[in-house]
Amino acid sequence: MSHLTDEARAPFRDNQPTITVGDNSLEAIVAANPGRRSILKNGLLGLSILPMLGTLAACGDDDDGFASPSPSPSPSPTPTPTPSYAIAFAPVAANQNDTVTVPTGYTVDVLLKAGDSVEAGTPYSGSYPTPADAEKWAGGNHDGMEYFELSGTDANIGGLLAINHEYPDSQILFSGSYDAATATADQKALALSAVGISVVEVAKGTDGKWAVKAGSRFNKRYTGNSSYRAGGPAAGQLSGTIKGMLNNCASGRTPWGTYLTCEETTDNYLDPTQPDNDYGWVVEIDPAQELAEPTKRTAMGRFDHENVAFMADSNRRTAFYMGDDATPGCIYKFVPDRAYSASNRAANTDLLDYGTLYVARFNADGTGEWRALVYGQNGLLPGASDPGNISQSTTPPAPTIIDFNSRADVLINTKAAARVAGGTVMDRPEWLTVAPDNSAVFCTLTNNSGRQVTDAANPRTRNLHGHIIKFKENGDSPLATSFTWEIFLQAGDPGLAAGGSNLVGNINGDTFSSPDGLRIDPQGRLWVQTDHSVPGNSGVTGTTIDQAFGNNAMFHVDQTSKQSKRFLVGPVGCEITGIAYTPDLKTFFVNIQHPTGDWPVAGQQPRSSTVVITRTDDQPVGN
């Protein structure tokens, strides 16, 4: 969550107590054998391996009766070297420079800035836009994103990039600050234009540089002014046509090639005239524009959604893991009632409208269970007692009575339902990611400086720097109702010991604070991105958090040795978030959110941007 978001939505918060890629995915298959060319049928679904068609030349009859000479044997082709995915880069030092710092041998190129054209129109050029202009721009505060393949296109040199926009880059939209209570209609339209998502077709040129393909039919904005529908059990309690989505934080995807963008707010604080129940959902969008219109999937619950990561088994059954980025919030998973179709995308159109939502309970003995959030089960009945925000005070708050009269009530009041059902309230669960072989799920718990009551899964009071938890489903199955868990690491730095042992952590190698973005790539390599406040409290008087850790950064953390290596450092004031890649892992896309200095264009207003990371020797990122 951007600190800008948290500040902006604070006056409009609701009154209720606040407490990635499976091994059968396209990315995993191609990354394991990059020599195989693959495309997607029916837009974005289903692997189609192009056969190598040999051609045999028939020998014709010669007039002179002589047989044609036998051809000389062709020399054996030189085998293509197997690419190395070993983590061999020299880590970069922590710094407070106003640039994107990467290891020697890597390049950084800016791909898409807030205010650049997505749909045809006039891009930002230094003057404030009209609402009609801004509606076609890339929005602000770039966050989670996913890369999708296109039929007939080599995915390693071109595809679709879907990018979340969490919050406006207000400095390029209007002068002064935004006040929803006094904003004009045009100001509201401008602010709402800058949230939602951008879908752009991107391609690698002959010069090796990536760029947005202007004029592509796939280039499209979905904004806070656009119209959306609702599906699932609670749809009847939402507006028939919903105005906008916003606070599009992190993201996810489905095995059938649709994009899952996550609303990290349960109200429309940019336009408070809109009903609260219309917000706080996972929104499914088809980047290929082939399936249903963008739909808010109410069966997946209403809360401050961070991202979605899926696990799939050999029978095409799936689980979708989600975190509630609240202080504190719970961890959830949604299991659809039926398997997805691998041959018919359209058959999956309503798959996310039918299924069971669960909340995680972490027991002190290292076991855990998924408790169903189903009307009539686990206390979800009229007159239920919600224990409230139990971690933030040594004196428990008075419970709140809440009536769950239907399945829709449970889904609209998911936060309260999770607490009633006994879910463990965590320290701001943000991104989740799934190991390629389904052997583990990781979740970043960014921080919770207000925690006063600890438990086994959240062992630190005043948790300024956060931790990462790891759990393993019983039988490595997405359908499991129990799991085992451990704390993977605790963030912090030994240099902060003067402020207390809570600040030290146990990171092996390059230290960091406030883990946020998280992804295991198809080669099983774990990447962590940070979001500590800038400037922020390190816990030691006289030392800011950016002085202790440098600007926000991206790290590789070995899952066995837990060795941490700093891969990238962002410019001044930014959060590092969003990670996507081509199947060969030679191109990484990363988002730089809300920079405050003189980046990315010297002499212009700072703008959130998507950057492209590649190696100069055309090897996979990480070497």
Side-chain angles (χ1 to χ4, degrees), residues 334-365:
F334 174 74
V335 179
D337 284 344
R338 67 181 194 269
Y340 70 88
S341 172
S343 58
N344 180 5
R345 295 186 76 223
N348 304 312
T349 297
D350 65 350
L351 191 74
L352 299 181
D353 286 341
Y354 302 94
T356 303
L357 183 65
Y358 298 87
V359 66
R361 180 178 179 87
F362 293 82
N363 299 319
D365 63 358

PDB file of all heavy atoms in Angstrom, residues 334-365:
ATOM      1  N   PHE A 334      -9.492 -18.689  -2.016  1.00  0.00           N
ATOM      2  CA  PHE A 334     -10.778 -18.977  -2.646  1.00  0.00           C
ATOM      3  C   PHE A 334     -10.599 -20.191  -3.537  1.00  0.00           C
ATOM      4  O   PHE A 334      -9.678 -20.234  -4.365  1.00  0.00           O
ATOM      5  CB  PHE A 334     -11.253 -17.784  -3.474  1.00  0.00           C
ATOM      6  CG  PHE A 334     -12.494 -18.063  -4.276  1.00  0.00           C
ATOM      7  CD1 PHE A 334     -13.734 -18.149  -3.663  1.00  0.00           C
ATOM      8  CD2 PHE A 334     -12.422 -18.241  -5.654  1.00  0.00           C
ATOM      9  CE1 PHE A 334     -14.881 -18.423  -4.400  1.00  0.00           C
ATOM     10  CE2 PHE A 334     -13.558 -18.502  -6.406  1.00  0.00           C
ATOM     11  CZ  PHE A 334     -14.791 -18.592  -5.769  1.00  0.00           C
ATOM     12  N   VAL A 335     -11.472 -21.174  -3.374  1.00  0.00           N
ATOM     13  CA  VAL A 335     -11.410 -22.412  -4.164  1.00  0.00           C
ATOM     14  C   VAL A 335     -12.680 -22.516  -5.001  1.00  0.00           C
ATOM     15  O   VAL A 335     -13.776 -22.700  -4.461  1.00  0.00           O
ATOM     16  CB  VAL A 335     -11.270 -23.647  -3.262  1.00  0.00           C
ATOM     17  CG1 VAL A 335     -11.222 -24.917  -4.102  1.00  0.00           C
ATOM     18  CG2 VAL A 335     -10.013 -23.535  -2.390  1.00  0.00           C
ATOM     19  N   PRO A 336     -12.577 -22.381  -6.334  1.00  0.00           N
ATOM     20  CA  PRO A 336     -13.757 -22.546  -7.186  1.00  0.00           C
ATOM     21  C   PRO A 336     -14.347 -23.943  -7.064  1.00  0.00           C
ATOM     22  O   PRO A 336     -13.645 -24.917  -6.776  1.00  0.00           O
ATOM     23  CB  PRO A 336     -13.217 -22.285  -8.595  1.00  0.00           C
ATOM     24  CG  PRO A 336     -11.981 -21.465  -8.389  1.00  0.00           C
ATOM     25  CD  PRO A 336     -11.387 -21.974  -7.107  1.00  0.00           C
ATOM     26  N   ASP A 337     -15.639 -24.031  -7.331  1.00  0.00           N
ATOM     27  CA  ASP A 337     -16.341 -25.309  -7.197  1.00  0.00           C
ATOM     28  C   ASP A 337     -15.938 -26.326  -8.251  1.00  0.00           C
ATOM     29  O   ASP A 337     -16.107 -27.532  -8.044  1.00  0.00           O
ATOM     30  CB  ASP A 337     -17.855 -25.091  -7.301  1.00  0.00           C
ATOM     31  CG  ASP A 337     -18.439 -24.494  -6.025  1.00  0.00           C
ATOM     32  OD1 ASP A 337     -17.771 -24.531  -4.982  1.00  0.00           O
ATOM     33  OD2 ASP A 337     -19.577 -23.983  -6.098  1.00  0.00           O
ATOM     34  N   ARG A 338     -15.447 -25.881  -9.388  1.00  0.00           N
ATOM     35  CA  ARG A 338     -15.163 -26.817 -10.467  1.00  0.00           C
ATOM     36  C   ARG A 338     -13.784 -26.535 -11.062  1.00  0.00           C
ATOM     37  O   ARG A 338     -13.195 -25.477 -10.834  1.00  0.00           O
ATOM     38  CB  ARG A 338     -16.233 -26.738 -11.554  1.00  0.00           C
ATOM     39  CG  ARG A 338     -16.266 -25.440 -12.338  1.00  0.00           C
ATOM     40  CD  ARG A 338     -17.382 -25.452 -13.379  1.00  0.00           C
ATOM     41  NE  ARG A 338     -17.245 -24.370 -14.358  1.00  0.00           N
ATOM     42  CZ  ARG A 338     -17.798 -23.179 -14.233  1.00  0.00           C
ATOM     43  NH1 ARG A 338     -18.507 -22.877 -13.150  1.00  0.00           N
ATOM     44  NH2 ARG A 338     -17.631 -22.266 -15.181  1.00  0.00           N
ATOM     45  N   ALA A 339     -13.300 -27.492 -11.823  1.00  0.00           N
ATOM     46  CA  ALA A 339     -12.018 -27.335 -12.513  1.00  0.00           C
ATOM     47  C   ALA A 339     -12.186 -26.347 -13.664  1.00  0.00           C
ATOM     48  O   ALA A 339     -13.276 -26.175 -14.221  1.00  0.00           O
ATOM     49  CB  ALA A 339     -11.548 -28.681 -13.053  1.00  0.00           C
ATOM     50  N   TYR A 340     -11.089 -25.706 -14.004  1.00  0.00           N
ATOM     51  CA  TYR A 340     -11.134 -24.813 -15.163  1.00  0.00           C
ATOM     52  C   TYR A 340     -10.933 -25.627 -16.446  1.00  0.00           C
ATOM     53  O   TYR A 340     -10.373 -26.725 -16.427  1.00  0.00           O
ATOM     54  CB  TYR A 340     -10.091 -23.703 -15.051  1.00  0.00           C
ATOM     55  CG  TYR A 340      -8.643 -24.131 -15.198  1.00  0.00           C
ATOM     56  CD1 TYR A 340      -8.036 -24.196 -16.451  1.00  0.00           C
ATOM     57  CD2 TYR A 340      -7.869 -24.444 -14.083  1.00  0.00           C
ATOM     58  CE1 TYR A 340      -6.712 -24.580 -16.594  1.00  0.00           C
ATOM     59  CE2 TYR A 340      -6.533 -24.817 -14.203  1.00  0.00           C
ATOM     60  CZ  TYR A 340      -5.963 -24.885 -15.459  1.00  0.00           C
ATOM     61  OH  TYR A 340      -4.656 -25.266 -15.585  1.00  0.00           O
ATOM     62  N   SER A 341     -11.397 -25.076 -17.553  1.00  0.00           N
ATOM     63  CA  SER A 341     -11.213 -25.716 -18.852  1.00  0.00           C
ATOM     64  C   SER A 341      -9.919 -25.218 -19.481  1.00  0.00           C
ATOM     65  O   SER A 341      -9.678 -24.008 -19.564  1.00  0.00           O
ATOM     66  CB  SER A 341     -12.383 -25.398 -19.782  1.00  0.00           C
ATOM     67  OG  SER A 341     -12.120 -25.859 -21.089  1.00  0.00           O
ATOM     68  N   ALA A 342      -9.107 -26.157 -19.952  1.00  0.00           N
ATOM     69  CA  ALA A 342      -7.862 -25.792 -20.624  1.00  0.00           C
ATOM     70  C   ALA A 342      -8.043 -25.649 -22.122  1.00  0.00           C
ATOM     71  O   ALA A 342      -7.122 -25.220 -22.814  1.00  0.00           O
ATOM     72  CB  ALA A 342      -6.793 -26.854 -20.343  1.00  0.00           C
ATOM     73  N   SER A 343      -9.227 -25.969 -22.623  1.00  0.00           N
ATOM     74  CA  SER A 343      -9.446 -25.936 -24.064  1.00  0.00           C
ATOM     75  C   SER A 343     -10.489 -24.918 -24.500  1.00  0.00           C
ATOM     76  O   SER A 343     -10.601 -24.621 -25.692  1.00  0.00           O
ATOM     77  CB  SER A 343      -9.877 -27.320 -24.562  1.00  0.00           C
ATOM     78  OG  SER A 343     -11.061 -27.737 -23.897  1.00  0.00           O
ATOM     79  N   ASN A 344     -11.227 -24.372 -23.550  1.00  0.00           N
ATOM     80  CA  ASN A 344     -12.311 -23.452 -23.891  1.00  0.00           C
ATOM     81  C   ASN A 344     -12.316 -22.311 -22.882  1.00  0.00           C
ATOM     82  O   ASN A 344     -12.856 -22.448 -21.777  1.00  0.00           O
ATOM     83  CB  ASN A 344     -13.652 -24.190 -23.889  1.00  0.00           C
ATOM     84  CG  ASN A 344     -14.818 -23.283 -24.245  1.00  0.00           C
ATOM     85  OD1 ASN A 344     -14.641 -22.119 -24.591  1.00  0.00           O
ATOM     86  ND2 ASN A 344     -16.029 -23.821 -24.146  1.00  0.00           N
ATOM     87  N   ARG A 345     -11.732 -21.193 -23.269  1.00  0.00           N
ATOM     88  CA  ARG A 345     -11.656 -20.056 -22.345  1.00  0.00           C
ATOM     89  C   ARG A 345     -13.036 -19.610 -21.900  1.00  0.00           C
ATOM     90  O   ARG A 345     -13.250 -19.243 -20.741  1.00  0.00           O
ATOM     91  CB  ARG A 345     -10.946 -18.869 -23.011  1.00  0.00           C
ATOM     92  CG  ARG A 345      -9.496 -19.102 -23.358  1.00  0.00           C
ATOM     93  CD  ARG A 345      -8.868 -17.806 -23.870  1.00  0.00           C
ATOM     94  NE  ARG A 345      -8.595 -16.894 -22.793  1.00  0.00           N
ATOM     95  CZ  ARG A 345      -8.829 -15.580 -22.816  1.00  0.00           C
ATOM     96  NH1 ARG A 345      -9.395 -15.033 -23.873  1.00  0.00           N
ATOM     97  NH2 ARG A 345      -8.514 -14.820 -21.803  1.00  0.00           N
ATOM     98  N   ALA A 346     -13.975 -19.592 -22.824  1.00  0.00           N
ATOM     99  CA  ALA A 346     -15.304 -19.075 -22.512  1.00  0.00           C
ATOM    100  C   ALA A 346     -15.980 -19.878 -21.401  1.00  0.00           C
ATOM    101  O   ALA A 346     -16.812 -19.340 -20.653  1.00  0.00           O
ATOM    102  CB  ALA A 346     -16.171 -19.063 -23.765  1.00  0.00           C
ATOM    103  N   ALA A 347     -15.616 -21.152 -21.271  1.00  0.00           N
ATOM    104  CA  ALA A 347     -16.218 -21.990 -20.234  1.00  0.00           C
ATOM    105  C   ALA A 347     -15.819 -21.546 -18.837  1.00  0.00           C
ATOM    106  O   ALA A 347     -16.455 -21.946 -17.850  1.00  0.00           O
ATOM    107  CB  ALA A 347     -15.821 -23.453 -20.454  1.00  0.00           C
ATOM    108  N   ASN A 348     -14.780 -20.720 -18.734  1.00  0.00           N
ATOM    109  CA  ASN A 348     -14.293 -20.260 -17.426  1.00  0.00           C
ATOM    110  C   ASN A 348     -14.830 -18.878 -17.050  1.00  0.00           C
ATOM    111  O   ASN A 348     -14.444 -18.333 -16.014  1.00  0.00           O
ATOM    112  CB  ASN A 348     -12.766 -20.224 -17.436  1.00  0.00           C
ATOM    113  CG  ASN A 348     -12.162 -21.565 -17.794  1.00  0.00           C
ATOM    114  OD1 ASN A 348     -12.552 -22.587 -17.254  1.00  0.00           O
ATOM    115  ND2 ASN A 348     -11.209 -21.566 -18.713  1.00  0.00           N
ATOM    116  N   THR A 349     -15.719 -18.342 -17.873  1.00  0.00           N
ATOM    117  CA  THR A 349     -16.148 -16.962 -17.680  1.00  0.00           C
ATOM    118  C   THR A 349     -16.702 -16.703 -16.288  1.00  0.00           C
ATOM    119  O   THR A 349     -16.426 -15.671 -15.690  1.00  0.00           O
ATOM    120  CB  THR A 349     -17.198 -16.585 -18.744  1.00  0.00           C
ATOM    121  OG1 THR A 349     -16.587 -16.656 -20.038  1.00  0.00           O
ATOM    122  CG2 THR A 349     -17.719 -15.179 -18.524  1.00  0.00           C
ATOM    123  N   ASP A 350     -17.480 -17.629 -15.744  1.00  0.00           N
ATOM    124  CA  ASP A 350     -18.074 -17.403 -14.428  1.00  0.00           C
ATOM    125  C   ASP A 350     -17.460 -18.285 -13.351  1.00  0.00           C
ATOM    126  O   ASP A 350     -18.029 -18.440 -12.268  1.00  0.00           O
ATOM    127  CB  ASP A 350     -19.587 -17.631 -14.484  1.00  0.00           C
ATOM    128  CG  ASP A 350     -19.948 -19.087 -14.807  1.00  0.00           C
ATOM    129  OD1 ASP A 350     -19.047 -19.866 -15.166  1.00  0.00           O
ATOM    130  OD2 ASP A 350     -21.148 -19.422 -14.693  1.00  0.00           O
ATOM    131  N   LEU A 351     -16.289 -18.851 -13.608  1.00  0.00           N
ATOM    132  CA  LEU A 351     -15.693 -19.804 -12.664  1.00  0.00           C
ATOM    133  C   LEU A 351     -15.465 -19.172 -11.289  1.00  0.00           C
ATOM    134  O   LEU A 351     -15.608 -19.831 -10.253  1.00  0.00           O
ATOM    135  CB  LEU A 351     -14.364 -20.332 -13.219  1.00  0.00           C
ATOM    136  CG  LEU A 351     -13.775 -21.534 -12.462  1.00  0.00           C
ATOM    137  CD1 LEU A 351     -14.556 -22.793 -12.766  1.00  0.00           C
ATOM    138  CD2 LEU A 351     -12.309 -21.734 -12.825  1.00  0.00           C
ATOM    139  N   LEU A 352     -15.115 -17.896 -11.259  1.00  0.00           N
ATOM    140  CA  LEU A 352     -14.807 -17.228  -9.993  1.00  0.00           C
ATOM    141  C   LEU A 352     -16.049 -16.731  -9.255  1.00  0.00           C
ATOM    142  O   LEU A 352     -15.929 -16.084  -8.219  1.00  0.00           O
ATOM    143  CB  LEU A 352     -13.847 -16.056 -10.238  1.00  0.00           C
ATOM    144  CG  LEU A 352     -12.486 -16.442 -10.836  1.00  0.00           C
ATOM    145  CD1 LEU A 352     -11.614 -15.210 -11.006  1.00  0.00           C
ATOM    146  CD2 LEU A 352     -11.782 -17.474  -9.961  1.00  0.00           C
ATOM    147  N   ASP A 353     -17.213 -17.052  -9.768  1.00  0.00           N
ATOM    148  CA  ASP A 353     -18.455 -16.677  -9.085  1.00  0.00           C
ATOM    149  C   ASP A 353     -18.999 -17.791  -8.196  1.00  0.00           C
ATOM    150  O   ASP A 353     -19.956 -17.578  -7.445  1.00  0.00           O
ATOM    151  CB  ASP A 353     -19.537 -16.298 -10.105  1.00  0.00           C
ATOM    152  CG  ASP A 353     -19.289 -14.938 -10.739  1.00  0.00           C
ATOM    153  OD1 ASP A 353     -18.520 -14.150 -10.163  1.00  0.00           O
ATOM    154  OD2 ASP A 353     -19.868 -14.681 -11.808  1.00  0.00           O
ATOM    155  N   TYR A 354     -18.404 -18.981  -8.271  1.00  0.00           N
ATOM    156  CA  TYR A 354     -18.906 -20.132  -7.535  1.00  0.00           C
ATOM    157  C   TYR A 354     -17.744 -20.831  -6.840  1.00  0.00           C
ATOM    158  O   TYR A 354     -16.819 -21.318  -7.491  1.00  0.00           O
ATOM    159  CB  TYR A 354     -19.617 -21.110  -8.480  1.00  0.00           C
ATOM    160  CG  TYR A 354     -20.766 -20.479  -9.231  1.00  0.00           C
ATOM    161  CD1 TYR A 354     -20.576 -19.953 -10.507  1.00  0.00           C
ATOM    162  CD2 TYR A 354     -22.024 -20.375  -8.652  1.00  0.00           C
ATOM    163  CE1 TYR A 354     -21.626 -19.348 -11.196  1.00  0.00           C
ATOM    164  CE2 TYR A 354     -23.073 -19.776  -9.327  1.00  0.00           C
ATOM    165  CZ  TYR A 354     -22.876 -19.263 -10.604  1.00  0.00           C
ATOM    166  OH  TYR A 354     -23.905 -18.661 -11.270  1.00  0.00           O
ATOM    167  N   GLY A 355     -17.794 -20.873  -5.528  1.00  0.00           N
ATOM    168  CA  GLY A 355     -16.722 -21.514  -4.789  1.00  0.00           C
ATOM    169  C   GLY A 355     -16.796 -21.174  -3.310  1.00  0.00           C
ATOM    170  O   GLY A 355     -17.766 -20.583  -2.826  1.00  0.00           O
ATOM    171  N   THR A 356     -15.737 -21.536  -2.586  1.00  0.00           N
ATOM    172  CA  THR A 356     -15.685 -21.343  -1.140  1.00  0.00           C
ATOM    173  C   THR A 356     -14.515 -20.447  -0.779  1.00  0.00           C
ATOM    174  O   THR A 356     -13.386 -20.671  -1.242  1.00  0.00           O
ATOM    175  CB  THR A 356     -15.546 -22.688  -0.415  1.00  0.00           C
ATOM    176  OG1 THR A 356     -16.639 -23.536  -0.782  1.00  0.00           O
ATOM    177  CG2 THR A 356     -15.553 -22.495   1.093  1.00  0.00           C
ATOM    178  N   LEU A 357     -14.793 -19.444   0.039  1.00  0.00           N
ATOM    179  CA  LEU A 357     -13.771 -18.552   0.574  1.00  0.00           C
ATOM    180  C   LEU A 357     -13.369 -19.049   1.959  1.00  0.00           C
ATOM    181  O   LEU A 357     -14.235 -19.388   2.783  1.00  0.00           O
ATOM    182  CB  LEU A 357     -14.306 -17.127   0.648  1.00  0.00           C
ATOM    183  CG  LEU A 357     -13.336 -16.035   1.116  1.00  0.00           C
ATOM    184  CD1 LEU A 357     -12.196 -15.864   0.111  1.00  0.00           C
ATOM    185  CD2 LEU A 357     -14.092 -14.713   1.312  1.00  0.00           C
ATOM    186  N   TYR A 358     -12.058 -19.085   2.217  1.00  0.00           N
ATOM    187  CA  TYR A 358     -11.526 -19.542   3.495  1.00  0.00           C
ATOM    188  C   TYR A 358     -10.621 -18.470   4.101  1.00  0.00           C
ATOM    189  O   TYR A 358     -10.022 -17.673   3.372  1.00  0.00           O
ATOM    190  CB  TYR A 358     -10.675 -20.813   3.321  1.00  0.00           C
ATOM    191  CG  TYR A 358     -11.391 -22.025   2.787  1.00  0.00           C
ATOM    192  CD1 TYR A 358     -11.518 -22.238   1.419  1.00  0.00           C
ATOM    193  CD2 TYR A 358     -11.911 -22.994   3.648  1.00  0.00           C
ATOM    194  CE1 TYR A 358     -12.150 -23.364   0.911  1.00  0.00           C
ATOM    195  CE2 TYR A 358     -12.539 -24.129   3.148  1.00  0.00           C
ATOM    196  CZ  TYR A 358     -12.660 -24.305   1.790  1.00  0.00           C
ATOM    197  OH  TYR A 358     -13.282 -25.426   1.300  1.00  0.00           O
ATOM    198  N   VAL A 359     -10.479 -18.506   5.426  1.00  0.00           N
ATOM    199  CA  VAL A 359      -9.508 -17.672   6.114  1.00  0.00           C
ATOM    200  C   VAL A 359      -8.513 -18.579   6.825  1.00  0.00           C
ATOM    201  O   VAL A 359      -8.865 -19.667   7.289  1.00  0.00           O
ATOM    202  CB  VAL A 359     -10.199 -16.717   7.121  1.00  0.00           C
ATOM    203  CG1 VAL A 359     -10.857 -17.485   8.272  1.00  0.00           C
ATOM    204  CG2 VAL A 359      -9.203 -15.681   7.655  1.00  0.00           C
ATOM    205  N   ALA A 360      -7.247 -18.128   6.900  1.00  0.00           N
ATOM    206  CA  ALA A 360      -6.192 -18.942   7.500  1.00  0.00           C
ATOM    207  C   ALA A 360      -6.117 -18.720   9.007  1.00  0.00           C
ATOM    208  O   ALA A 360      -6.157 -17.580   9.479  1.00  0.00           O
ATOM    209  CB  ALA A 360      -4.843 -18.608   6.866  1.00  0.00           C
ATOM    210  N   ARG A 361      -5.987 -19.831   9.726  1.00  0.00           N
ATOM    211  CA  ARG A 361      -5.711 -19.783  11.164  1.00  0.00           C
ATOM    212  C   ARG A 361      -4.363 -20.442  11.393  1.00  0.00           C
ATOM    213  O   ARG A 361      -4.159 -21.617  11.038  1.00  0.00           O
ATOM    214  CB  ARG A 361      -6.789 -20.515  11.959  1.00  0.00           C
ATOM    215  CG  ARG A 361      -6.539 -20.488  13.471  1.00  0.00           C
ATOM    216  CD  ARG A 361      -7.668 -21.177  14.236  1.00  0.00           C
ATOM    217  NE  ARG A 361      -7.429 -21.167  15.676  1.00  0.00           N
ATOM    218  CZ  ARG A 361      -7.791 -20.179  16.487  1.00  0.00           C
ATOM    219  NH1 ARG A 361      -8.410 -19.117  15.981  1.00  0.00           N
ATOM    220  NH2 ARG A 361      -7.551 -20.251  17.777  1.00  0.00           N
ATOM    221  N   PHE A 362      -3.419 -19.689  11.958  1.00  0.00           N
ATOM    222  CA  PHE A 362      -2.060 -20.171  12.224  1.00  0.00           C
ATOM    223  C   PHE A 362      -1.968 -20.587  13.690  1.00  0.00           C
ATOM    224  O   PHE A 362      -2.034 -19.742  14.591  1.00  0.00           O
ATOM    225  CB  PHE A 362      -1.036 -19.087  11.912  1.00  0.00           C
ATOM    226  CG  PHE A 362      -0.937 -18.740  10.445  1.00  0.00           C
ATOM    227  CD1 PHE A 362      -1.839 -17.851   9.865  1.00  0.00           C
ATOM    228  CD2 PHE A 362       0.042 -19.311   9.647  1.00  0.00           C
ATOM    229  CE1 PHE A 362      -1.758 -17.527   8.521  1.00  0.00           C
ATOM    230  CE2 PHE A 362       0.133 -18.997   8.298  1.00  0.00           C
ATOM    231  CZ  PHE A 362      -0.777 -18.111   7.732  1.00  0.00           C
ATOM    232  N   ASN A 363      -1.822 -21.882  13.935  1.00  0.00           N
ATOM    233  CA  ASN A 363      -1.725 -22.386  15.301  1.00  0.00           C
ATOM    234  C   ASN A 363      -0.294 -22.268  15.820  1.00  0.00           C
ATOM    235  O   ASN A 363       0.671 -22.275  15.048  1.00  0.00           O
ATOM    236  CB  ASN A 363      -2.188 -23.843  15.359  1.00  0.00           C
ATOM    237  CG  ASN A 363      -3.631 -24.003  14.924  1.00  0.00           C
ATOM    238  OD1 ASN A 363      -4.486 -23.192  15.261  1.00  0.00           O
ATOM    239  ND2 ASN A 363      -3.904 -25.062  14.158  1.00  0.00           N
ATOM    240  N   ALA A 364      -0.163 -22.237  17.136  1.00  0.00           N
ATOM    241  CA  ALA A 364       1.148 -22.031  17.751  1.00  0.00           C
ATOM    242  C   ALA A 364       2.101 -23.194  17.528  1.00  0.00           C
ATOM    243  O   ALA A 364       3.328 -23.022  17.634  1.00  0.00           O
ATOM    244  CB  ALA A 364       0.977 -21.781  19.253  1.00  0.00           C
ATOM    245  N   ASP A 365       1.584 -24.375  17.221  1.00  0.00           N
ATOM    246  CA  ASP A 365       2.448 -25.549  17.054  1.00  0.00           C
ATOM    247  C   ASP A 365       2.974 -25.716  15.633  1.00  0.00           C
ATOM    248  O   ASP A 365       3.540 -26.758  15.287  1.00  0.00           O
ATOM    249  CB  ASP A 365       1.703 -26.820  17.487  1.00  0.00           C
ATOM    250  CG  ASP A 365       0.462 -27.108  16.633  1.00  0.00           C
ATOM    251  OD1 ASP A 365       0.153 -26.300  15.731  1.00  0.00           O
ATOM    252  OD2 ASP A 365      -0.200 -28.132  16.875  1.00  0.00           O
TER     253      ASP A 365
END
